[in-house]
Amino acid sequence: MYYYKNSTDTVPILLLLLFSLTITLHFQAKTVALPSSSCPKHCGDVEILYPFGIGPGCAMEGFELSCNKTKDGRSVLMFFGEIPVLNILLLNGQVRIMKHISTMYSLSSRQVDYDYWGQDLFGTPFTYSGKSNMFTVVGINTLAYITDDTYVLGCVSHSPTYNNVTAQDGLCTGVGCCRVALTRDMSNDYVFFDSRYNTTNNYTNGSNKKHTDYQGYAVIMETTAFHFKTTYLNTTTFLDENDDGRVPVILNWAVGNETCNDSMKKADSYACLSNNSMCIDSSNGHGYLCNCTKGYHGNPYLRDGCQDIDECVVNVPPPCPGHCVNTIGSFWCPNEKPASSSHSGSTVLVVGPSIGVVILVIAITCTYLIRERKKLANIKQKYFQQHGGMLLLQEIRSKQGTDFSIFTEAELIEATGKFDNKNILGRGGHRTVYKGTLKDGSLIAVKRCISMTSEQQKEFGKEMLILSQINHKNIVKLLGCCLEVEVPMLVYEFIPNGTLFHFIHGDNGCHNITLSTRLHIALESAHALAYLHSWASPPILHGDVKSSNILLDENYAAKVSDFGASILAPTDESQFVTLVQGTCGYLDPEYMQMCQLTDKSDVYSFGIVLLELLTGKKAFNLEGPDNEKSLSQRFLCALKEGRLMDIIDNCIKIDSDTGLLEEIAELARQCLEMVGEMRPAMRDVAEKLDRLSKVMQHPWEPAQHNLEEMESLLGESSVASLDMISTGNFSMKKRIVQGLLESGR
């Protein structure tokens, strides 16, 4: 009798043998270019592992490295020709590099300047690992954040005596140092400092003499490589003790941009060349990695790179001392000393199983499938109860008028075509939205989130019930949810005409959008936010107002959507947001500093949307000059210098009333006040936009309009005033109109 590793699971062993035979025959037909024996194997003390390589024909596309000499004569392996490589973690799909620290410092004149270091990895096989790195900020009263497309993450490092808490070595908890975990892999690491938040200039006595007064540092770095020291706060030690001001960071990498199933169909580009290798889809959804199958080790990207492991030698002590026999990919332990008949017996067991073994395999398989199905049902029930499903069902039954459904996972899988990529409507930092069709033919939008914290899970059922009761024509209707999965899925009504962002900034731009249409969209969006703030019970803070979260239906009516960052209005000042979330260009500066989301944060973000409609420009443009990256700063500067018309969209500036444009711009300015208390409430913004819309529908020329219509809109005395000055100049009429608007008529 013989004993194999994992001998209790007979079915996987037999299936593995058949699978290995199939894969072996499949791989033997592949012809993929491989590095020659002359390619360098080391640079300094770093081993170079294919698909990485130095020189022509020595690396896969995108994995080329170089070996450079330093001033002291050392050989250093370089990434992109300038970034040192510490080591390559082949089977983990990672590479450890040394990254520059970004620095904010003040000159002798106390003016703030910056040393920014970043690397754009978009279009390469590499991303900053979200699991292995953290964004770290060091300094006194230092606010820093990073952006990656529409993803923003940051934190504030307070003074060493903040709230009577003193900075301590080894503790990075917000006093002198703060750290934020990356919630996903990132392609960019653009670092930004807020110089207005920093109030210290007391950084001296360091050996690094490039700058004398350092104020703060920010960098993405390997989580386990950082240990905070209080000396970082008043010296340049943080730069001095790291090689050339660099710290370790982990990059994830993957081969190609297709899944394993798609890549295996292309013999000329499939990278898992070894006969005993297997393909693993990348965790971030793009590309794949190769690994050796169980019982083998080595480099799966090279032909014959995966070699047999001698378990009898590697394992100490051996699995069966004195009797262990190594086999290709495994080992066996006979009850007695090996005999010549043993090999023939093992061959019979593997190659020609008896009818009894076949029956046993079928029985085990059926038992396994039944057990797994029952286990899956128990898991679904566990998730359903964990997300408050029973409470939600009771509430729905008690309120017969609630138009809200609880969907099964199978229903949503069928509706979205197994979440097919061709049905993706949009992606975000934490979710993907799919288009779906129910059995009755109705269209839906399914939001599938990546993760949810335990605290969010506790409040999920309550918040779903509140959102299900929102019934406003300018808010996307929540039709239901799916609770029998690890992370609940939300089901919304389908809105056909896409986002306001694409409507303004799409291929055709906003050249065909009249001021009347823009004002109407702004008014409907403001009505929706005012409803959330003032009439929902309890009030709801959206938290991520932006043009890409405003949808347009078949009649181009505005529908506010995406409540992934929303919260119920805090009941007291102790309820703070621990992590600032939002989109670069729309974030309230006060929210960034105080870490407290309020209704005035939504007002600020809406002001940016109003500017997009008014100017036709994006809220944040990384490719523009420094003074034009932020739309809000560009607008406020133009307004201050009396150049408002320079920034207004040309296609509405020509045919529109200058006074009306100035009124809209003034409303946007009020929404963008730095202090939240000075901003108007959303209901006031909606009322002002409503009055401006009426002004646009009824131009202030009495000769062109019916007197009864004017009296109905403004009142008899107001119309009489207009009649008296019908021959006056525009500025006089503008002042009267402005007075009428301010009086609320």
Side-chain angles (χ1 to χ4, degrees):
M1 183 175 181
Y2 305 100
Y3 298 91
Y4 289 82
K5 288 188 292 184
N6 297 326
S7 59
T8 58
D9 198 347
T10 309
V11 176
I13 293 175
L14 294 177
L15 293 177
L16 180 61
L17 291 171
L18 294 175
F19 178 75
S20 299
L21 178 59
T22 303
I23 295 299
T24 299
L25 295 175
H26 181 72
F27 284 162
Q28 287 176 347
K30 295 186 179 298
T31 56
V32 179
L34 293 172
S36 67
S37 57
S38 61
C39 293
K41 300 296 187 297
H42 289 83
C43 177
D45 56 356
V46 180
E47 183 180 7
I48 304 171
L49 302 171
Y50 189 79
F52 294 87
I54 298 176
C58 293
M60 284 188 190
E61 183 178 356
F63 292 87
E64 299 86 356
L65 302 175
S66 60
C67 190
N68 299 348
K69 291 285 186 180
T70 61
K71 294 180 180 180
D72 56 3
R74 294 185 298 112
S75 296
V76 179
L77 189 62
M78 304 297 283
F79 182 66
F80 291 141
E82 58 183 3
I83 302 175
V85 176
L86 294 180
N87 59 315
I88 299 169
L89 307 173
L90 187 69
L91 301 183
N92 294 335
Q94 294 181 328
V95 58
R96 181 179 283 106
I97 64 172
M98 295 295 287
K99 184 183 183 304
H100 269 300
I101 302 169
S102 295
T103 310
M104 178 175 70
Y105 58 91
S106 61
L107 304 172
S108 56
S109 61
R110 295 299 179 245
Q111 293 179 344
V112 176
D113 205 348
Y114 310 92
D115 275 343
Y116 288 128
W117 299 92
Q119 184 66 51
D120 187 354
L121 301 177
F122 182 78
T124 74
F126 304 93
T127 55
Y128 293 100
S129 172
K131 293 183 179 180
S132 304
N133 303 306
M134 294 185 74
F135 181 59
T136 303
V137 178
V138 176
I140 300 176
N141 291 335
T142 301
L143 168 62
Y145 56 98
I146 53 176
T147 67
D148 180 14
D149 192 12
T150 60
Y151 175 65
V152 179
L153 183 146
C155 65
V156 178
S157 171
H158 294 286
S159 64
T161 57
Y162 180 75
N163 265 359
N164 297 323
V165 179
T166 304
Q168 300 181 40
D169 287 351
L171 294 181
C172 186
T173 55
V175 179
C177 170
C178 66
R179 309 186 78 185
V180 179
L182 278 61
T183 56
R184 69 174 190 185
D185 292 350
M186 299 179 62
S187 296
N188 298 320
D189 61 335
Y190 297 110
V191 176
F192 296 89
F193 291 96
D194 191 334
S195 59
R196 297 168 299 178
Y197 193 77
N198 194 289
T199 58
T200 200
N201 51 31
N202 196 15
Y203 293 80
T204 55
N205 302 324
S207 61
N208 190 317
K209 298 301 182 181
K210 182 177 180 181
H211 308 293
T212 57
D213 294 338
Y214 282 85
Q215 293 191 347
Y217 312 97
V219 67
I220 292 179
M221 67 179 296
E222 186 177 2
T223 302
T224 58
F226 179 74
H227 183 81
F228 175 67
K229 299 178 183 178
T230 54
T231 54
Y232 294 165
L233 300 179
N234 54 14
T235 70
T236 58
T237 306
F238 190 42
L239 294 178
D240 298 336
E241 69 182 16
N242 293 295
D243 183 18
D244 193 25
R246 297 176 183 266
V247 292
V249 63
I250 297 292
L251 301 184
N252 287 342
W253 55 268
V255 177
N257 55 9
E258 297 177 320
T259 63
C260 289
N261 289 337
D262 293 335
S263 299
M264 291 174 68
K265 300 174 184 177
K266 301 178 181 180
D268 57 340
S269 61
Y270 186 59
C272 304
L273 293 182
S274 180
N275 289 342
N276 300 298
S277 65
M278 60 182 178
C279 183
I280 304 172
D281 286 327
S282 174
S283 59
N284 61 15
H286 300 285
Y288 61 94
L289 298 172
C290 302
N291 213 323
C292 294
T293 56
K294 190 173 182 179
Y296 296 85
H297 68 136
N299 190 335
Y301 300 94
L302 298 175
R303 197 178 302 282
D304 298 326
C306 292
Q307 300 295 320
D308 173 57
I309 298 175
D310 189 344
E311 289 84 359
C312 299
V313 175
V314 173
N315 296 315
V316 180
C320 42
H323 301 286
C324 180
V325 177
N326 184 61
T327 61
I328 300 301
S330 187
F331 70 95
W332 57 277
C333 297
N335 286 340
E336 299 178 355
K337 292 184 179 181
S340 58
S341 60
S342 299
H343 296 285
S344 61
S346 63
T347 303
V348 172
L349 178 61
V350 175
V351 179
S354 65
I355 297 177
V357 173
V358 173
I359 295 175
L360 180 61
V361 168
I362 295 174
I364 293 175
T365 302
C366 292
T367 303
Y368 174 78
L369 292 176
I370 294 173
R371 185 180 63 182
E372 288 300 309
R373 182 174 298 179
K374 185 176 180 180
K375 183 188 298 184
L376 180 60
N378 292 336
I379 291 175
K380 289 184 177 181
Q381 182 65 23
K382 172 187 173 184
Y383 286 143
F384 185 82
Q385 295 178 353
Q386 179 177 307
H387 300 318
M390 298 305 297
L391 176 62
L392 193 57
L393 276 176
Q394 293 174 5
E395 293 290 342
I396 292 173
R397 289 168 182 167
S398 65
K399 299 182 179 181
Q400 298 296 329
T402 302
D403 185 16
F404 189 83
S405 303
I406 296 182
F407 295 85
T408 66
E409 182 184 19
E411 285 179 302
L412 298 186
I413 289 176
E414 180 181 357
T416 58
K418 298 180 179 180
F419 296 101
D420 196 319
N421 287 342
K422 68 181 181 182
N423 289 326
I424 292 179
L425 296 174
R427 297 179 185 271
H430 302 280
R431 84 293 186 272
T432 303
V433 180
Y434 297 84
K435 178 181 178 181
T437 306
L438 298 177
K439 289 183 178 180
D440 62 2
S442 58
L443 297 177
I444 58 173
V446 181
K447 182 193 290 186
R448 196 182 191 191
C449 300
I450 298 174
S451 61
M452 178 179 288
T453 65
S454 58
E455 189 64 29
Q456 290 171 327
Q457 289 175 347
K458 294 178 182 178
E459 296 293 331
F460 179 79
K462 181 180 177 182
E463 292 190 22
M464 283 304 95
L465 185 62
I466 293 171
L467 290 175
S468 70
Q469 295 174 346
I470 291 179
N471 186 15
H472 192 279
K473 66 177 182 177
N474 298 122
I475 297 178
V476 174
K477 179 66 176 177
L478 179 66
L479 302 178
C481 62
C482 175
L483 302 177
E484 61 181 27
V485 289
E486 182 177 3
V487 180
M489 292 182 283
L490 306 179
V491 181
Y492 292 91
E493 63 174 321
F494 176 72
I495 309 298
N497 276 334
T499 68
L500 177 59
F501 179 89
H502 186 266
F503 190 54
I504 299 174
H505 309 296
D507 296 336
N508 296 325
C510 58
H511 304 298
N512 297 324
I513 311 176
T514 63
L515 178 60
S516 175
T517 301
R518 302 182 196 210
L519 195 57
H520 187 68
I521 292 173
L523 174 60
E524 292 185 324
S525 303
H527 277 317
L529 293 173
Y531 171 83
L532 293 175
H533 291 180
S534 302
W535 290 284
S537 180
I540 298 172
L541 309 182
H542 188 282
D544 196 15
V545 177
K546 57 184 177 181
S547 56
S548 57
N549 281 343
I550 299 174
L551 306 181
L552 302 175
D553 68 8
E554 61 276 4
N555 298 318
Y556 293 96
K559 299 268 190 177
V560 174
S561 69
D562 199 340
F563 292 83
S566 300
I567 63 171
L568 302 179
T571 56
D572 57 72
E573 296 183 356
S574 64
Q575 299 182 25
F576 283 88
V577 178
T578 57
L579 174 63
V580 175
Q581 299 183 75
T583 303
C584 192
Y586 298 88
L587 275 172
D588 174 13
E590 192 173 63
Y591 173 36
M592 288 287 295
Q593 293 183 6
M594 305 299 294
C595 297
Q596 186 177 21
L597 186 66
T598 68
D599 58 339
K600 296 304 178 69
S601 301
D602 284 349
V603 174
Y604 182 92
S605 301
F606 178 80
I608 301 297
V609 174
L610 195 56
L611 283 187
E612 288 184 86
L613 288 166
L614 198 60
T615 65
K617 297 175 176 58
K618 294 182 180 179
F620 195 80
N621 183 13
L622 285 173
E623 299 178 357
D626 289 343
N627 61 340
E628 295 185 4
K629 287 183 178 180
S630 171
L631 178 58
S632 62
Q633 291 183 3
R634 184 178 178 186
F635 165 74
L636 293 174
C637 181
L639 199 63
K640 182 179 180 181
E641 297 174 0
R643 298 183 294 102
L644 174 62
M645 290 301 130
D646 292 346
I647 197 174
I648 299 296
D649 192 353
N650 290 330
C651 61
I652 62 172
K653 178 169 58 178
I654 297 174
D655 300 326
S656 301
D657 188 331
T658 303
L660 184 61
L661 293 175
E662 290 176 350
E663 289 289 342
I664 300 173
E666 172 59 21
L667 178 60
R669 185 201 64 76
Q670 294 174 11
C671 293
L672 299 179
E673 285 283 358
M674 291 296 293
V675 179
E677 292 182 355
M678 298 179 64
R679 301 170 197 157
M682 274 311 307
R683 61 178 179 274
D684 297 329
V685 175
E687 290 175 2
K688 182 63 177 288
L689 287 172
D690 186 42
R691 293 196 294 271
L692 290 174
S693 180
K694 291 177 180 177
V695 168
M696 188 164 190
Q697 294 173 16
H698 301 271
W700 300 106
E701 293 291 345
Q704 300 176 10
H705 291 271
N706 182 279
L707 183 60
E708 293 182 359
E709 183 180 9
M710 299 289 286
E711 290 177 351
S712 173
L713 181 64
L714 297 176
E716 183 177 355
S717 61
S718 300
V719 175
S721 299
L722 285 175
D723 287 336
M724 293 173 62
I725 61 164
S726 60
T727 59
N729 58 30
F730 174 78
S731 61
M732 177 67 72
K733 286 184 285 184
K734 174 184 173 184
R735 286 195 293 270
I736 292 177
V737 171
Q738 183 174 357
L740 293 172
L741 289 171
E742 292 175 351
S743 68
R745 283 183 161 165

